[in-house]
Amino acid sequence: YEVREKLHVSGNRTMLRVQRQADGLTGVLKFFDTDAHSHAEIERIKNELSCLKAVQSPHVVTVHDLVFFERGVGILMEDFEGE
C-alpha cells in the first residue's frame, strides 16, 4: 500500500488515503495499532468489518478487505473523497 494522505489520527487509530500497489485500487484505510490492542480488540475489529460488509446502502461506504500489517491491522474501505 502506498499512503497518499493522512486524513485523521485519534489515539491508536489512523485514517489514511491509500493506493493498493497490486491492482491500483484507491481507498481509505482505517488502521489500528495492534501493539495497543488485545486479541479481543482484534476480534472486535473483525466484527466491525463483518457488520459493514453486510450493509448494502448508498449511504454506507463499501468495505473491501481486512489487512494485516507487522504493527497493526486495517479495514480498507472505498474512498468517497470527502473529508
Side-chain angles (χ1 to χ4, degrees), residues 2-3 10-11 16 26 29-30 35 57 72 75 78:
E2 180 181 331
V3 176
S10 176
L16 304 166
T26 58
L29 183 69
K30 183 177 183 181
D35 283 352
S57 168
I75 297 175
E78 75 175 313

Side-chain angles (χ1 to χ4, degrees), residues 1-6 16-19:
Y1 290 88
E2 180 181 331
V3 176
R4 300 288 185 157
E5 181 181 359
K6 187 181 286 188
L16 304 166
R17 183 166 282 129
V18 299
Q19 183 171 22

Side-chain angles (χ1 to χ4, degrees), residues 1 6 12 21-22 25 27 38 46 51 67 70 74-75 82:
Y1 290 88
K6 187 181 286 188
N12 49 14
Q21 293 176 343
L25 175 74
S38 66
K46 288 180 181 179
C51 291
V67 186
E70 186 176 317
I75 297 175

Side-chain angles (χ1 to χ4, degrees), residues 51-60 62-63:
C51 291
L52 288 170
K53 278 189 164 187
V55 177
Q56 300 295 319
S57 168
H59 305 291
V60 178
T62 301
V63 176

